[in-house]
Amino acid sequence: MSRDRMSALQGEKLRRLVSHAYSNSPFYKRKFDQAGITPNDIRSIEDITKLPFTVKQDLRDNYPFGIMAVPMSDILRLHASSGTTGKPIVVGYTEHDLACWAEAVARCLTAFGLKKSDLIQISYGYGMFTGGLGLHAGVQAIGATVIPISSGNTQKQIQLMSDFGTTAFASTPSYAMYVAEQILASSIGSEGLKLRIGIFGAEPWTENMRHELENKLNIKAYDIYGLTEISGPGVGGECEYQNGIHIWEDLFYPEIIDPVTLEPVPHGCKGELVFTTLDKFGMPMIRYRTRDLTSLDYSICPCGRTAVRMGKILGRTDDMLIIRGVNVFPSQIEAILLEFPEYEPYFLIEIDRINNTDTFEIKVEVKPEFYTDRINQLVRIKHDLASRIQSVIGIHPEIRIVQPNTIERSENKSKRVIDHRKL
Ligand code: ADP
Ligand code: ZN
């Protein structure tokens, strides 16, 4: 679609979205009223900058259903992603929203060169996370065969890949690397498989990692991007040129702003990515600040697609960590530590990537009255803390108890994370 036609379509959809949100979501009505904006102020896509931003805190404050813009009887599915205090953020989809999301994923799969004849193994988790079911609907939309194995059980993943002749594999890039190593170590080896395409996303990864995955598995490895608030995976994906992530901008309108001044940056410059869901009615997101840092390239791609291309995610403006594909906020760890009388509220998270898998260690201090040389007692409180963290955020940490008063106390912002990974 030419740029002019795309802008006209985006303008039309934005007008429809804003009046829907204004009339049906008390949250947006309040927000627009406060900003002194009415739907009549929005005539074209350029007018989008008049609208107020939406942030993650808005989703938490309105937990669970306060932003919905349709009656709950029209919501067909709910998904959730972790929040900073253990309270998740919730997203609801109408039948139309689910269809648009499937369409977006289907476009990604098509851009990766996948067809009806492919067998696609989905090793993203199924459940409240958007990865599994999100990819699933896209695979069905292109008419390929879906293998809904979900995450974990690596030996079974490899066995089915070999038995079924899986041609494409979807997971986080770090899990894919682990699977690749297990394949190479097994008697099957990558020559024993029919894999040709990898569908990798949900966490940042480098070009080096791409080359390694491509060489080890003898595949082409494609990047897929998305976030729960905007739908889930498939907001954009690479094409065969692997030169940026095409964003399906008739569905998800991207802007780049300066995270300090909140003004749009000049074309091509780096800044914070902001999305408006142009075709989502259950829980529309208007100018949602993703916290992801990147840039947009509007030049036409050699593949012929005119959809704008997003550069790799360069980092985030908040302190969210992505460990083994799972979102982790240091404040979640703090909140959990405070639940335990035995622990001091000081900690240090150390992350590394060893053998291509993220390690996750938390150094903590036990209060002097609980500090003991009775090993079994320390083992028990370590275990309780690790299980509590696992149940709240979904991944298992190594807990290391250090001597009292050894974790640095700071009056300013304390350093709570050391990330050794080279991403
Ligand atoms: P998901 O289930 O896809 O991880 P979340 O909402 O839990 O969705 O997390 C979304 C965040 O994950 C994004 O804001 C971004 O920081 C990160 N992310 C998702 N896909 C990619 C990708 N392909 N490259 C880099 N970061 C990504
Ligand atoms: Zn392209």
Side-chain angles (χ1 to χ4, degrees), residues 23 50 53 59 63 72 134 181 206 238-239 253 261 311 361:
S23 329
K50 296 178 182 164
F53 293 103
L59 280 89
Y63 176 86
M72 282 307 285
E181 277 156 8
T206 56
E238 288 178 325
C239 64
Y253 181 76
T261 65
E361 184 185 88

Side-chain angles (χ1 to χ4, degrees), residues 115-121 139-140 142-147 167:
K115 301 198 168 53
K116 210 174 143 34
S117 50
D118 280 290
L119 278 79
I120 306 177
Q121 187 158 328
V139 175
Q140 289 192 320
I142 65 164
T145 307
V146 59
I147 306 172
T167 57

Side-chain angles (χ1 to χ4, degrees), residues 184-383:
L184 295 182
S186 76
S187 55
I188 295 171
S190 70
E191 357 30 90
L193 299 176
K194 297 212 172 97
L195 277 186
R196 59 185 196 91
I197 284 169
I199 305 164
F200 303 135
E203 64 185 4
W205 52 308
T206 56
E207 277 308 310
N208 278 345
M209 188 132 169
R210 188 206 304 271
H211 295 314
E212 260 193 68
L213 283 166
E214 293 191 332
N215 292 337
K216 284 199 162 108
L217 289 171
N218 198 16
I219 57 171
K220 265 194 99 167
Y222 290 99
D223 200 353
I224 186 166
Y225 169 86
L227 62 163
T228 308
E229 294 86 328
I230 302 305
S231 274
V235 169
E238 288 178 325
C239 64
E240 71 264 35
Y241 289 90
Q242 298 179 317
N243 57 358
I245 291 177
H246 284 286
I247 299 288
W248 312 121
E249 47 172 319
D250 55 323
L251 304 175
F252 315 107
Y253 181 76
E255 298 172 75
I256 301 283
I257 61 163
D258 178 320
V260 178
T261 65
L262 306 183
E263 292 300 322
V265 302
H267 260 202
C269 292
K270 277 185 282 200
E272 181 180 340
L273 181 63
V274 170
F275 275 115
T276 299
T277 55
L278 293 177
D279 225 323
K280 195 160 173 273
F281 295 90
M283 192 170 143
M285 282 290 113
I286 295 177
R287 301 198 86 200
Y288 180 72
R289 292 182 59 186
T290 65
R291 302 283 168 178
D292 286 329
L293 295 169
T294 183
S295 58
L296 295 175
D297 180 352
Y298 284 89
S299 66
I300 292 178
C301 181
C303 75
R305 287 177 185 81
T306 52
V308 63
R309 280 170 295 147
M310 176 180 98
K312 279 219 174 283
I313 302 292
L314 301 164
R316 296 185 47 90
T317 64
D318 61 12
D319 56 357
M320 186 177 94
L321 301 163
I322 303 182
I323 308 175
R324 293 177 218 144
V326 174
N327 300 348
V328 179
F329 289 89
S331 51
Q332 286 176 294
I333 307 294
E334 182 176 291
I336 296 171
L337 274 177
L338 290 169
E339 295 173 8
F340 287 81
E342 296 93 339
Y343 289 107
E344 297 278 11
Y346 308 109
F347 62 95
L348 183 67
I349 301 176
E350 263 192 76
I351 317 162
D352 204 345
R353 190 163 279 181
I354 294 175
N355 293 330
N356 295 301
T357 303
D358 292 337
T359 61
F360 176 27
E361 184 185 88
I362 307 173
K363 290 196 173 79
V364 288
E365 283 179 18
V366 171
K367 289 197 186 123
E369 61 271 34
F370 292 100
Y371 197 72
T372 149
D373 42 18
R374 300 241 308 273
I375 296 247
N376 54 353
Q377 208 157 320
L378 287 181
V379 166
R380 183 187 53 78
I381 64 170
K382 264 169 72 164
H383 171 266

Side-chain angles (χ1 to χ4, degrees), residues 108-130:
C108 294
L109 301 178
T110 305
F112 303 158
L114 289 161
K115 301 198 168 53
K116 210 174 143 34
S117 50
D118 280 290
L119 278 79
I120 306 177
Q121 187 158 328
I122 301 178
S123 310
Y124 284 115
Y126 279 65
M128 295 313 285
F129 285 106
T130 51

Side-chain angles (χ1 to χ4, degrees), residues 5-26:
R5 273 187 61 204
M6 177 62 84
S7 300
L9 177 66
Q10 289 168 331
E12 222 171 274
K13 287 191 175 188
L14 181 67
R15 282 203 303 276
R16 184 181 64 176
L17 178 81
V18 166
S19 73
H20 168 74
Y22 190 77
S23 329
N24 298 296
S25 165

